[in-house]
Amino acid sequence: MPVDLTARALPILMLIASNVFMTIAWYGHLRFKAVPLALVILTSWLIALPEYLIAVPANRWGSAVYSAAQLKAMQEVITLSVFVIFSALYLGQKVTLNHLIGFALIAAGAWFIFRPQA
């Protein structure tokens, strides 16, 4: 049982970690708009490298227990969850009801990916 739990949980934890790096790489620079774009791009690449080093094995190992569609759906829900927290705490942007409804609809789509076939 622990091996099965590890095989299922480890890819999820790794996808969460990789999404933290990617969210910082994609959106962290928005607080520093005076920094030249070339420097922002270079810095973002350096921040994104650990994301790839975590995401690729997460998907490889996760494919042993999840389908590619399930991994992608999981990644999207994780991305939105990380983004909401980052946007509110780091960027100081308000998360509105419309945002939450939109994200919930995306999560509902992911639910269908995991739903057993009838």
Side-chain angles (χ1 to χ4, degrees), residues 1-23:
M1 183 76 150
V3 172
D4 187 51
L5 179 61
T6 300
R8 291 188 175 283
L10 186 60
I12 296 168
L13 295 172
M14 292 174 73
L15 287 173
I16 292 168
S18 73
N19 271 282
V20 168
F21 280 102
M22 195 50 113
T23 300

Side-chain angles (χ1 to χ4, degrees), residues 2 32-33 38 46 78 111 118:
F32 306 98
K33 293 184 180 181
L46 293 173
I78 290 167
W111 177 81

Side-chain angles (χ1 to χ4, degrees), residues 1 12 14 31 34 41 45 47 50 55 60 66 79 108:
M1 183 76 150
I12 296 168
M14 292 174 73
R31 284 183 45 183
I41 291 169
W45 279 352
I47 295 169
R60 171 74 61 100
Y66 300 109
T79 296

Side-chain angles (χ1 to χ4, degrees), residues 79-95:
T79 296
L80 289 174
S81 301
V82 169
F83 177 78
V84 165
I85 294 166
F86 180 85
S87 181
L89 296 180
Y90 182 78
L91 296 177
Q93 295 188 357
K94 184 178 178 186
V95 179

